[in-house]
Each structure stands twice: as structure tokens, then as C-alpha cells.
Amino acid sequence: EAGVTQFPSHSVIEKGQTVTLRCDPISGHDNLYWYRRVMGKEIKFLLHFVKESKQDESGMPNNRFLAERTGGTYSTLKVQPAELEDSGVYFCASSQKDSFSYEQYFGPGTRLTVT
Amino acid sequence: LAKTTQPISMDSYEGQEVNITCSHNNIATNDYITWYQQFPSQGPRFIIQGYKTKVTNEVASLFIPADRKSSTLSLPRVSLSDTAVYYCLVGDTELTGGGNKLTFGTGTQLKVEL
């Protein structure tokens, strides 16, 4: 079974540019999450999709971040325009439908560097 | 969500049993306790989850006393490859239903040496 995949693995962009991160969850997982770790900080929740619907986006830092999950399969996270403080590692995770557990499957992350 | 406290780091040697204790004094009745492991340049990986007493799987054991204000992750006979950061998380599985956001703390950096 393929795990959660993320693309790209690394991205270096200049301040003010746009970047789009992609996450492919495990097939059949309705729940998809985005997290991020900025330098020296803890991993923080960004948002949660159930299929194509945003269940919880309380962790999104501001309106420069836009997450989509069209068709309930893969998801994208767009940062526009990027700022220096957006640098960090962005993780995607997925879990099965109606899972009353905290078992989530994480991807390897996308390391974003904004210069 | 309940706040957790765990040691920043621990050192061990190959073949030893490692016990990492996590304090969660404000744990609520519906809260479960979950542990994740993270290697450098990888995403966190689920290890074990429990509610009370003892849970064991092929990787680890989780001991939870009756008052549930702490928990201990036990790794039997660690090897070099167990060097990683271990996170203790506490949360309510019924809060969101159909999925649960994770709240990570700083974790415990375990270093295993020969």
C-alpha cells in the first residue's frame, strides 16, 4: 500500500512569490490534514478535510494560505504571496473515515524556504 | 486539549529497555493518550494509543495508571534505529468525530548508542 506522498520535497522561493504544495493521501482515506513546523517550533495543525470539505481550518495562519481538495482525493496548499516567516516543513497526513483514533499517516513533508 | 510534559532528551544503549514518561495532569475523561515517533527528515509515525491500564503492540507498550495523569511509553531492547523524537499527545477523540487534529509538544529526543 502506497503511503502519503508530498510534492515537492523541497522548494526555495523568493518573498512575494507563490508556491503550491501537493499531497496525495493514502487511497480511501477521507480525512486529510495539513500541519507545519516553522524553524525551532513545534508541529502545528493547519487544517482538516473530510473528503472535499474543510472540517476545521482553525490553524490556517492567514488568508495568504489556501487549501483545496477537489474531488476528495489529493490536496493542494497554496501560499500567495509567500513571506519569510512561512519557511518551514509542511506535513500532510491522512486517516480513515470516522476514525475515533489518533492514528494518522504522515507524508515526508515539503521543506519550504522563502528568501 | 490537555497539556503534556515530557523530558527533552534521554540517552540509552542498545539492548536496553527505555521508558519515557509523559505528564498530563489536566487530562479529561474522554481523552486518549497517543505516542508518535519521528525520525529526521520524515513525518511523524504513530506508535501506540491507549485510554487506561496497559496497551501493547509489536513496537511498544503503553502504561497508564488509574488516575491517568501520566503515561509511560516503554520500548523493549532499543537499537540504534530507535534514535528519534517521541511525542506524547492527549486529546478527545469525540471532539471532532471522523478525524482528529493532533497537537504536538516538543517531544523527547531519544539517543541510542552502542
Side-chain angles (χ1 to χ4, degrees):
Chain A
E1 179 184 88
V4 176
T5 58
Q6 294 187 244
F7 182 83
S9 56
H10 293 86
S11 180
V12 181
I13 61 172
E14 294 183 352
K15 176 182 173 180
Q17 289 186 323
T18 297
V19 64
T20 300
L21 313 181
R22 172 170 171 146
C23 168
D24 286 79
I26 292 174
S27 177
H29 281 190
D30 286 346
N31 293 299
L32 186 149
Y33 312 81
W34 284 97
Y35 297 85
R36 76 171 180 176
R37 167 186 272 144
V38 295
M39 185 65 69
K41 301 291 187 180
E42 298 159 7
I43 299 172
K44 294 290 188 183
F45 167 83
L46 295 179
L47 87 160
H48 168 211
F49 283 100
V50 177
K51 295 185 178 179
E52 67 274 9
S53 299
K54 292 177 184 175
Q55 180 81 5
D56 180 355
E57 51 185 328
S58 61
M60 294 288 265
N62 51 61
N63 58 11
R64 294 186 293 103
F65 289 75
L66 174 64
E68 295 180 322
R69 192 183 181 195
T70 306
T73 54
Y74 71 91
S75 175
T76 59
L77 180 64
K78 179 189 289 187
V79 184
Q80 179 183 29
E83 299 289 344
L84 298 178
E85 64 264 25
D86 299 331
S87 295
V89 181
Y90 290 76
F91 294 103
C92 174
S94 70
S95 70
Q96 294 178 334
K97 176 185 177 182
D98 294 329
S99 173
F100 284 87
S101 87
Y102 282 85
E103 183 171 6
Q104 297 179 12
Y105 297 83
F106 280 76
T110 293
R111 181 173 295 277
L112 174 64
T113 301
V114 183
T115 62
Chain B
L1 293 175
K3 178 178 173 61
T4 60
T5 302
Q6 53 184 121
I8 294 175
S9 64
M10 294 183 68
D11 294 327
S12 184
Y13 294 95
E14 276 202 318
Q16 291 190 331
E17 178 184 77
V18 171
N19 296 306
I20 305 174
T21 297
C22 177
S23 297
H24 26 80
N25 292 318
N26 296 324
I27 191 168
T29 302
N30 293 331
D31 284 346
Y32 280 70
I33 301 157
T34 308
W35 285 80
Y36 273 77
Q37 172 192 57
Q38 185 178 25
F39 299 110
S41 301
Q42 294 187 25
R45 182 176 77 104
F46 173 88
I47 300 176
I48 198 166
Q49 177 175 318
Y51 183 79
K52 62 181 179 180
T53 63
K54 177 184 175 182
V55 180
T56 297
N57 61 23
E58 65 278 6
V59 176
S61 294
L62 178 60
F63 298 92
I64 306 169
D67 67 5
R68 304 199 327 119
K69 293 183 181 301
S70 67
S71 60
T72 299
L73 175 72
S74 181
L75 305 172
R77 297 181 297 282
V78 295
S79 65
L80 294 176
S81 62
D82 292 316
T83 294
V85 178
Y86 292 81
Y87 297 97
C88 167
L89 297 83
V90 173
D92 182 358
T93 63
E94 297 180 22
L95 192 60
T96 61
N100 302 285
K101 64 181 180 183
L102 303 176
T103 300
F104 288 87
T106 54
T108 296
Q109 173 66 64
L110 173 64
K111 181 179 180 182
V112 181
E113 300 175 296
L114 289 173

Coordinates of all heavy atoms in Angstrom, one line a residue, chain A residues 11-95:
Chain A
S11 N 11.4 23.2 -1.7 CA 11.0 24.4 -2.5 C 11.7 25.6 -2.0 O 11.6 25.9 -0.8 CB 9.5 24.6 -2.6 OG 9.2 25.7 -3.5
V12 N 12.4 26.3 -2.9 CA 13.0 27.6 -2.5 C 12.5 28.7 -3.3 O 12.6 28.6 -4.6 CB 14.6 27.5 -2.6 CG1 15.2 28.9 -2.2 CG2 15.2 26.4 -1.8
I13 N 11.8 29.7 -2.7 CA 11.2 30.7 -3.5 C 11.6 32.1 -2.8 O 12.0 32.1 -1.7 CB 9.7 30.6 -3.5 CG1 9.1 30.6 -2.1 CG2 9.3 29.3 -4.3 CD1 7.6 30.7 -2.1
E14 N 11.4 33.1 -3.6 CA 11.6 34.5 -3.0 C 10.4 35.0 -2.4 O 9.2 34.7 -2.8 CB 12.1 35.4 -4.1 CG 13.5 35.0 -4.7 CD 14.0 36.0 -5.7 OE1 13.2 36.9 -6.1 OE2 15.1 35.8 -6.2
K15 N 10.6 35.9 -1.5 CA 9.5 36.6 -0.8 C 8.6 37.2 -1.9 O 9.1 37.8 -2.8 CB 10.0 37.6 0.1 CG 8.9 38.5 0.8 CD 9.6 39.5 1.7 CE 8.5 40.5 2.2 NZ 9.1 41.6 3.1
G16 N 7.3 37.0 -1.7 CA 6.3 37.6 -2.7 C 5.9 36.7 -3.8 O 4.9 36.9 -4.5
Q17 N 6.6 35.6 -3.9 CA 6.2 34.6 -5.0 C 5.2 33.7 -4.4 O 4.8 33.7 -3.2 CB 7.5 33.8 -5.4 CG 8.5 34.6 -6.2 CD 9.6 33.7 -6.8 OE1 10.1 32.8 -6.1 NE2 10.0 34.0 -8.0
T18 N 4.7 32.8 -5.3 CA 3.6 31.9 -5.0 C 4.2 30.5 -5.0 O 5.0 30.2 -5.9 CB 2.5 32.0 -6.0 OG1 1.9 33.3 -5.9 CG2 1.4 31.0 -5.7
V19 N 3.7 29.6 -4.1 CA 4.1 28.2 -4.1 C 2.9 27.4 -3.8 O 2.0 27.8 -3.1 CB 5.2 28.0 -3.1 CG1 4.7 28.2 -1.6 CG2 5.8 26.6 -3.2
T20 N 2.9 26.3 -4.5 CA 1.8 25.3 -4.3 C 2.4 24.0 -3.9 O 3.2 23.4 -4.6 CB 0.9 25.1 -5.6 OG1 0.4 26.4 -5.9 CG2 -0.2 24.2 -5.4
L21 N 1.9 23.5 -2.8 CA 2.3 22.2 -2.3 C 1.2 21.2 -2.6 O 0.1 21.5 -2.5 CB 2.6 22.3 -0.8 CG 3.5 23.4 -0.3 CD1 3.7 23.4 1.2 CD2 4.8 23.5 -1.0
R22 N 1.6 20.0 -2.9 CA 0.7 18.9 -3.1 C 0.8 17.8 -2.2 O 1.9 17.4 -1.8 CB 0.8 18.4 -4.6 CG -0.1 17.2 -4.9 CD -0.1 16.9 -6.4 NE -0.8 15.6 -6.6 CZ -1.6 15.3 -7.6 NH1 -1.8 16.3 -8.5 NH2 -2.2 14.2 -7.7
C23 N -0.3 17.2 -1.9 CA -0.4 16.0 -1.0 C -1.3 14.9 -1.6 O -2.5 15.2 -1.9 CB -0.9 16.4 0.4 SG -1.3 14.9 1.4
D24 N -0.8 13.7 -1.7 CA -1.6 12.6 -2.1 C -1.8 11.7 -0.9 O -0.8 11.0 -0.5 CB -1.0 11.9 -3.3 CG -1.1 12.6 -4.6 OD1 -0.3 13.6 -4.8 OD2 -2.0 12.3 -5.4
P25 N -3.0 11.6 -0.4 CA -3.2 10.8 0.8 C -3.2 9.3 0.4 O -3.2 8.9 -0.8 CB -4.6 11.2 1.3 CG -5.3 11.6 0.0 CD -4.2 12.2 -0.9
I26 N -3.3 8.4 1.4 CA -3.5 7.0 1.2 C -4.9 6.8 0.6 O -5.9 7.4 1.0 CB -3.3 6.2 2.5 CG1 -1.9 6.3 3.0 CG2 -3.8 4.8 2.3 CD1 -1.6 5.7 4.3
S27 N -4.9 6.0 -0.5 CA -6.2 5.7 -1.1 C -7.3 5.3 -0.2 O -7.0 4.4 0.6 CB -6.0 4.7 -2.2 OG -7.2 4.4 -2.9
G28 N -8.4 5.9 -0.3 CA -9.5 5.5 0.6 C -9.6 6.3 1.9 O -10.6 6.2 2.6
H29 N -8.6 7.1 2.2 CA -8.7 7.9 3.4 C -9.5 9.2 3.1 O -9.1 10.0 2.4 CB -7.3 8.2 3.9 CG -6.6 7.1 4.6 ND1 -5.4 7.3 5.2 CD2 -6.9 5.8 4.7 CE1 -5.0 6.1 5.8 NE2 -6.0 5.2 5.5
D30 N -10.6 9.3 3.9 CA -11.4 10.5 3.7 C -10.8 11.7 4.4 O -11.0 12.9 4.1 CB -12.8 10.2 4.2 CG -13.6 9.4 3.3 OD1 -13.2 9.2 2.1 OD2 -14.7 8.9 3.7
N31 N -10.1 11.5 5.5 CA -9.5 12.6 6.3 C -8.2 12.9 5.8 O -7.3 12.1 5.6 CB -9.4 12.1 7.8 CG -10.8 11.9 8.4 OD1 -11.6 12.9 8.5 ND2 -11.0 10.7 8.9
L32 N -8.0 14.2 5.6 CA -6.7 14.7 5.1 C -6.4 16.0 6.0 O -7.2 16.8 6.2 CB -6.7 15.1 3.7 CG -5.3 15.5 3.0 CD1 -5.3 15.0 1.6 CD2 -5.1 17.0 3.2
Y33 N -5.1 16.0 6.5 CA -4.7 17.1 7.4 C -3.4 17.8 6.8 O -2.6 17.1 6.2 CB -4.4 16.6 8.7 CG -5.4 15.7 9.4 CD1 -5.5 14.3 9.0 CD2 -6.3 16.1 10.3 CE1 -6.4 13.5 9.6 CE2 -7.2 15.3 10.9 CZ -7.3 14.0 10.5 OH -8.2 13.1 11.1
W34 N -3.3 19.0 7.1 CA -2.1 19.7 6.8 C -1.5 20.2 8.2 O -2.3 20.8 9.0 CB -2.3 20.9 5.9 CG -2.4 20.6 4.5 CD1 -3.6 20.4 3.8 CD2 -1.4 20.4 3.5 NE1 -3.3 20.1 2.5 CE2 -2.0 20.1 2.3 CE3 0.0 20.4 3.6 CZ2 -1.2 19.8 1.1 CZ3 0.8 20.1 2.5 CH2 0.1 19.8 1.2
Y35 N -0.2 20.1 8.4 CA 0.5 20.6 9.5 C 1.7 21.3 9.0 O 2.2 21.1 7.9 CB 0.9 19.4 10.5 CG -0.2 18.6 11.1 CD1 -0.7 17.5 10.4 CD2 -0.6 18.9 12.4 CE1 -1.7 16.8 10.9 CE2 -1.6 18.1 12.9 CZ -2.2 17.0 12.2 OH -3.1 16.3 12.8
R36 N 2.3 22.1 9.9 CA 3.6 22.6 9.5 C 4.5 22.8 10.8 O 4.0 23.0 11.9 CB 3.5 23.9 8.8 CG 3.1 25.2 9.7 CD 3.2 26.4 8.9 NE 2.9 27.6 9.7 CZ 3.0 28.8 9.3 NH1 3.4 29.1 8.0 NH2 2.6 29.8 10.1
R37 N 5.8 22.8 10.6 CA 6.7 23.2 11.6 C 7.6 24.3 11.1 O 8.3 24.1 10.1 CB 7.6 22.0 12.0 CG 8.8 22.4 12.9 CD 9.8 21.3 13.1 NE 9.4 20.6 14.3 CZ 9.5 19.3 14.4 NH1 10.0 18.6 13.5 NH2 9.1 18.7 15.5
V38 N 7.5 25.4 11.7 CA 8.4 26.5 11.4 C 9.6 26.4 12.2 O 9.6 25.7 13.3 CB 7.7 27.9 11.5 CG1 6.6 28.0 10.5 CG2 7.3 28.1 12.9
M39 N 10.7 27.0 11.8 CA 12.0 26.8 12.5 C 12.0 26.9 14.0 O 11.5 27.9 14.6 CB 13.0 27.9 11.9 CG 14.4 27.7 12.4 SD 15.2 26.2 11.8 CE 15.3 26.6 10.1
G40 N 12.4 25.8 14.6 CA 12.6 25.8 16.1 C 11.3 25.7 16.8 O 11.3 25.8 18.1
K41 N 10.2 25.6 16.1 CA 8.9 25.5 16.8 C 8.3 24.1 16.7 O 8.9 23.2 16.1 CB 7.9 26.5 16.1 CG 8.3 27.9 16.2 CD 8.3 28.5 17.6 CE 8.6 30.0 17.6 NZ 8.6 30.5 18.9
E42 N 7.2 23.9 17.4 CA 6.5 22.6 17.4 C 5.7 22.4 16.1 O 5.3 23.4 15.4 CB 5.6 22.5 18.6 CG 6.4 22.6 19.9 CD 5.6 23.0 21.1 OE1 4.3 23.1 20.9 OE2 6.1 23.2 22.2
I43 N 5.3 21.2 15.8 CA 4.5 20.9 14.7 C 3.1 21.4 15.0 O 2.5 21.1 16.1 CB 4.4 19.4 14.4 CG1 5.8 18.9 14.0 CG2 3.4 19.1 13.3 CD1 5.9 17.4 14.0
K44 N 2.5 22.2 14.1 CA 1.2 22.9 14.3 C 0.2 22.4 13.3 O 0.5 22.4 12.1 CB 1.3 24.4 14.3 CG 2.2 25.0 15.4 CD 1.5 24.8 16.8 CE 2.3 25.6 17.9 NZ 1.7 25.4 19.2
F45 N -1.0 22.2 13.7 CA -2.1 21.9 12.9 C -2.5 23.1 12.0 O -2.6 24.2 12.5 CB -3.3 21.4 13.7 CG -4.6 21.3 13.0 CD1 -5.0 20.2 12.3 CD2 -5.5 22.4 13.1 CE1 -6.2 20.1 11.7 CE2 -6.8 22.3 12.5 CZ -7.1 21.2 11.8
L46 N -2.8 22.8 10.7 CA -3.3 23.9 9.9 C -4.8 23.7 9.6 O -5.6 24.6 9.8 CB -2.5 24.0 8.6 CG -1.0 24.3 8.7 CD1 -0.3 24.3 7.3 CD2 -0.9 25.7 9.3
L47 N -5.1 22.6 8.9 CA -6.5 22.3 8.6 C -6.8 20.9 8.4 O -5.8 20.1 8.2 CB -7.0 23.2 7.5 CG -6.8 22.6 6.0 CD1 -7.8 23.4 5.1 CD2 -5.4 22.8 5.6
H48 N -8.1 20.6 8.3 CA -8.5 19.2 8.2 C -9.6 19.1 7.1 O -10.6 19.9 7.2 CB -9.0 18.7 9.6 CG -9.8 17.4 9.5 ND1 -10.8 17.2 10.5 CD2 -9.7 16.3 8.8 CE1 -11.3 16.0 10.2 NE2 -10.7 15.4 9.2
F49 N -9.5 18.2 6.2 CA -10.5 18.0 5.2 C -11.2 16.6 5.5 O -10.5 15.7 5.9 CB -9.9 17.8 3.8 CG -9.5 19.1 3.1 CD1 -8.2 19.5 3.1 CD2 -10.5 19.9 2.4 CE1 -7.8 20.7 2.4 CE2 -10.1 21.0 1.8 CZ -8.8 21.4 1.8
V50 N -12.5 16.6 5.3 CA -13.2 15.3 5.2 C -13.7 15.3 3.8 O -14.6 16.0 3.4 CB -14.3 15.2 6.2 CG1 -15.1 13.9 6.0 CG2 -13.8 15.3 7.7
K51 N -13.1 14.4 3.1 CA -13.4 14.3 1.6 C -13.0 15.7 1.1 O -11.9 16.2 1.3 CB -14.8 13.9 1.3 CG -15.1 12.5 1.7 CD -16.5 12.0 1.3 CE -16.7 10.6 1.7 NZ -18.1 10.1 1.3
E52 N -13.9 16.4 0.3 CA -13.6 17.7 -0.2 C -13.9 18.8 0.6 O -13.7 20.0 0.3 CB -14.2 17.8 -1.6 CG -15.7 17.9 -1.6 CD -16.4 16.5 -1.6 OE1 -15.7 15.5 -1.4 OE2 -17.6 16.5 -1.7
S53 N -14.5 18.6 1.8 CA -15.0 19.6 2.7 C -14.0 20.0 3.7 O -13.4 19.1 4.4 CB -16.3 19.2 3.3 OG -17.3 19.0 2.3
K54 N -13.9 21.2 4.0 CA -13.0 21.7 5.1 C -13.7 21.5 6.4 O -14.7 22.2 6.7 CB -12.6 23.1 4.9 CG -11.7 23.4 3.7 CD -11.4 24.9 3.5 CE -10.6 25.0 2.3 NZ -10.3 26.5 2.0
Q55 N -13.3 20.6 7.2 CA -13.9 20.3 8.5 C -13.4 21.3 9.6 O -14.2 21.7 10.4 CB -13.5 18.9 8.9 CG -14.1 18.4 10.3 CD -15.5 18.0 10.1 OE1 -16.1 17.9 9.0 NE2 -16.2 17.7 11.2
D56 N -12.2 21.7 9.5 CA -11.6 22.5 10.5 C -10.4 23.2 9.9 O -9.4 22.6 9.5 CB -11.1 21.7 11.7 CG -10.5 22.5 12.9 OD1 -10.3 23.7 12.7 OD2 -10.2 21.9 13.9
E57 N -10.5 24.5 9.8 CA -9.3 25.3 9.3 C -8.9 26.3 10.3 O -8.3 27.4 9.9 CB -9.7 26.0 7.9 CG -10.9 26.8 7.9 CD -11.3 27.3 6.5 OE1 -10.3 27.6 5.8 OE2 -12.5 27.4 6.2
S58 N -9.0 26.0 11.5 CA -8.7 26.9 12.6 C -7.2 27.2 12.7 O -6.8 28.2 13.3 CB -9.2 26.4 14.0 OG -8.6 25.1 14.2
G59 N -6.4 26.4 12.2 CA -4.9 26.6 12.3 C -4.3 27.3 11.1 O -3.1 27.6 11.2
M60 N -5.1 27.7 10.1 CA -4.6 28.4 9.0 C -4.1 29.8 9.5 O -4.9 30.5 10.1 CB -5.6 28.5 7.9 CG -5.9 27.2 7.3 SD -4.6 26.6 6.3 CE -5.1 27.2 4.7
P61 N -2.9 30.2 9.2 CA -2.3 31.4 9.8 C -3.0 32.7 9.3 O -3.1 33.7 10.0 CB -0.8 31.3 9.5 CG -0.7 30.4 8.4 CD -1.8 29.4 8.5
N62 N -3.3 32.7 8.0 CA -3.9 34.0 7.4 C -4.4 33.7 6.0 O -4.3 32.5 5.6 CB -2.8 35.1 7.4 CG -1.6 34.6 6.7 OD1 -1.6 34.3 5.6 ND2 -0.5 34.6 7.5
N63 N -4.9 34.7 5.4 CA -5.6 34.5 4.1 C -4.6 34.3 3.0 O -5.0 34.3 1.8 CB -6.6 35.5 3.8 CG -6.0 36.9 3.8 OD1 -4.8 37.1 3.8 ND2 -6.8 38.0 3.8
R64 N -3.3 34.3 3.3 CA -2.3 34.0 2.2 C -2.2 32.5 1.9 O -1.6 32.1 0.9 CB -0.9 34.6 2.6 CG -0.9 36.1 2.7 CD 0.5 36.6 3.0 NE 1.0 36.2 4.3 CZ 1.9 35.2 4.4 NH1 2.4 34.5 3.4 NH2 2.3 34.9 5.6
F65 N -2.8 31.8 2.8 CA -2.8 30.3 2.6 C -4.2 29.8 2.1 O -5.2 30.2 2.7 CB -2.5 29.6 4.0 CG -1.1 29.8 4.4 CD1 -0.7 31.0 5.0 CD2 -0.2 28.8 4.3 CE1 0.6 31.2 5.4 CE2 1.1 28.9 4.8 CZ 1.5 30.1 5.3
L66 N -4.2 29.0 1.1 CA -5.4 28.5 0.5 C -5.2 27.0 0.3 O -4.3 26.6 -0.5 CB -5.8 29.2 -0.8 CG -7.0 28.6 -1.5 CD1 -8.2 28.8 -0.7 CD2 -7.1 29.3 -2.9
A67 N -6.1 26.2 0.9 CA -6.0 24.8 0.7 C -7.3 24.3 0.0 O -8.4 24.8 0.2 CB -6.0 24.1 2.1
E68 N -7.0 23.3 -0.9 CA -8.1 22.8 -1.7 C -8.0 21.3 -1.7 O -6.9 20.7 -1.6 CB -8.2 23.4 -3.1 CG -8.5 24.9 -3.1 CD -8.5 25.4 -4.5 OE1 -7.7 24.9 -5.4 OE2 -9.3 26.3 -4.8
R69 N -9.1 20.6 -1.9 CA -9.1 19.2 -2.1 C -10.3 18.8 -3.0 O -11.3 18.2 -2.6 CB -9.3 18.5 -0.8 CG -9.0 17.0 -0.9 CD -9.2 16.2 0.4 NE -8.8 14.8 0.3 CZ -9.2 13.9 1.1 NH1 -9.9 14.2 2.2 NH2 -8.8 12.6 0.9
T70 N -10.1 19.2 -4.2 CA -11.1 19.0 -5.2 C -11.3 17.5 -5.5 O -10.3 16.8 -5.7 CB -10.8 19.7 -6.6 OG1 -10.5 21.0 -6.3 CG2 -11.9 19.5 -7.6
G71 N -12.6 17.0 -5.5 CA -12.8 15.6 -5.7 C -12.5 14.7 -4.6 O -12.7 13.5 -4.7
G72 N -12.0 15.3 -3.5 CA -11.8 14.5 -2.3 C -10.6 13.5 -2.4 O -10.5 12.6 -1.6
T73 N -9.7 13.8 -3.3 CA -8.5 12.9 -3.4 C -7.3 13.7 -3.0 O -7.1 13.9 -1.8 CB -8.3 12.4 -4.9 OG1 -8.3 13.6 -5.8 CG2 -9.5 11.5 -5.3
Y74 N -6.5 14.2 -3.9 CA -5.3 14.9 -3.5 C -5.7 16.3 -3.0 O -6.8 16.8 -3.3 CB -4.3 14.9 -4.6 CG -4.7 15.8 -5.8 CD1 -4.3 17.2 -5.8 CD2 -5.4 15.4 -6.8 CE1 -4.6 18.0 -6.8 CE2 -5.8 16.2 -7.8 CZ -5.4 17.5 -7.8 OH -5.7 18.4 -8.9
S75 N -4.7 16.9 -2.3 CA -4.9 18.3 -1.8 C -3.8 19.2 -2.2 O -2.6 18.7 -2.4 CB -5.1 18.2 -0.3 OG -5.2 19.6 0.3
T76 N -4.1 20.4 -2.3 CA -3.0 21.4 -2.6 C -3.1 22.5 -1.5 O -4.2 22.8 -1.0 CB -3.1 22.1 -4.0 OG1 -4.4 22.7 -4.1 CG2 -2.9 21.0 -5.1
L77 N -1.9 23.0 -1.2 CA -1.8 24.1 -0.2 C -1.0 25.2 -0.9 O 0.2 25.0 -1.3 CB -1.1 23.7 1.1 CG -0.9 24.8 2.1 CD1 -2.3 25.3 2.6 CD2 -0.1 24.2 3.3
K78 N -1.7 26.3 -1.2 CA -1.0 27.4 -1.9 C -0.7 28.5 -0.9 O -1.6 28.9 -0.1 CB -1.9 27.9 -3.0 CG -1.4 29.1 -3.8 CD -2.4 29.7 -4.8 CE -2.6 28.9 -5.9 NZ -3.5 29.5 -6.9
V79 N 0.5 29.1 -1.1 CA 0.9 30.2 -0.3 C 1.1 31.4 -1.3 O 2.0 31.3 -2.1 CB 2.1 29.9 0.5 CG1 2.5 31.1 1.4 CG2 2.0 28.6 1.3
Q80 N 0.4 32.5 -1.1 CA 0.4 33.6 -2.1 C 0.0 34.9 -1.4 O -1.1 35.0 -1.0 CB -0.5 33.3 -3.2 CG -0.5 34.4 -4.3 CD -1.5 34.1 -5.4 OE1 -2.5 33.4 -5.2 NE2 -1.3 34.6 -6.6
P81 N 0.9 35.8 -1.3 CA 2.3 35.8 -1.6 C 3.1 35.2 -0.4 O 2.7 35.4 0.8 CB 2.7 37.2 -1.8 CG 1.8 38.0 -0.9 CD 0.5 37.2 -0.9
A82 N 4.2 34.5 -0.6 CA 5.0 33.9 0.4 C 5.7 35.0 1.2 O 6.2 36.0 0.6 CB 5.9 32.9 -0.1
E83 N 5.8 34.8 2.5 CA 6.6 35.7 3.4 C 7.7 34.9 4.0 O 7.7 33.6 4.1 CB 5.7 36.3 4.4 CG 4.6 37.2 3.9 CD 5.1 38.5 3.3 OE1 6.3 38.9 3.6 OE2 4.4 39.2 2.6
L84 N 8.7 35.6 4.6 CA 9.9 34.9 5.2 C 9.4 33.9 6.3 O 10.0 32.8 6.4 CB 10.8 35.9 5.7 CG 11.5 36.8 4.7 CD1 12.4 37.8 5.4 CD2 12.3 36.1 3.6
E85 N 8.4 34.3 7.0 CA 8.0 33.5 8.2 C 7.2 32.3 7.8 O 6.9 31.4 8.7 CB 7.1 34.3 9.2 CG 5.8 34.8 8.6 CD 5.9 36.2 8.0 OE1 7.0 36.7 7.7 OE2 4.9 36.9 8.0
D86 N 7.0 32.1 6.5 CA 6.3 30.9 6.0 C 7.3 29.7 5.9 O 6.9 28.6 5.6 CB 5.6 31.1 4.7 CG 4.6 32.2 4.8 OD1 4.0 32.4 5.9 OD2 4.3 32.9 3.8
S87 N 8.6 30.0 6.0 CA 9.6 29.0 5.8 C 9.4 27.9 6.9 O 9.1 28.2 8.1 CB 11.0 29.5 6.0 OG 11.3 30.4 4.9
G88 N 9.5 26.7 6.5 CA 9.4 25.6 7.4 C 9.1 24.3 6.7 O 9.2 24.2 5.5
V89 N 8.7 23.3 7.4 CA 8.3 22.0 6.8 C 6.8 21.8 6.9 O 6.3 21.9 8.0 CB 9.1 20.8 7.5 CG1 8.7 19.5 6.8 CG2 10.6 21.0 7.5
Y90 N 6.2 21.5 5.8 CA 4.8 21.3 5.7 C 4.5 19.8 5.6 O 4.9 19.2 4.6 CB 4.2 22.1 4.5 CG 4.2 23.6 4.8 CD1 5.4 24.3 4.7 CD2 3.1 24.3 5.2 CE1 5.5 25.7 4.9 CE2 3.1 25.6 5.4 CZ 4.3 26.3 5.3 OH 4.4 27.7 5.6
F91 N 3.8 19.3 6.5 CA 3.4 17.9 6.5 C 1.9 17.7 6.1 O 1.1 18.5 6.5 CB 3.6 17.3 7.9 CG 5.0 17.2 8.3 CD1 5.5 18.1 9.3 CD2 5.9 16.3 7.8 CE1 6.8 18.1 9.7 CE2 7.2 16.2 8.3 CZ 7.7 17.1 9.2
C92 N 1.7 16.6 5.5 CA 0.3 16.2 5.2 C 0.1 14.9 5.8 O 1.1 14.1 5.9 CB 0.1 16.1 3.6 SG -1.4 15.4 3.1
A93 N -1.1 14.6 6.3 CA -1.4 13.3 6.9 C -2.8 12.9 6.5 O -3.6 13.7 6.1 CB -1.3 13.4 8.4
S94 N -3.0 11.6 6.5 CA -4.4 11.2 6.2 C -4.8 10.1 7.2 O -3.9 9.4 7.8 CB -4.5 10.7 4.8 OG -3.8 9.4 4.6
S95 N -6.1 9.9 7.3 CA -6.6 8.8 8.2 C -7.9 8.3 7.6 O -8.5 9.0 6.8 CB -6.7 9.3 9.6 OG -7.8 10.2 9.8

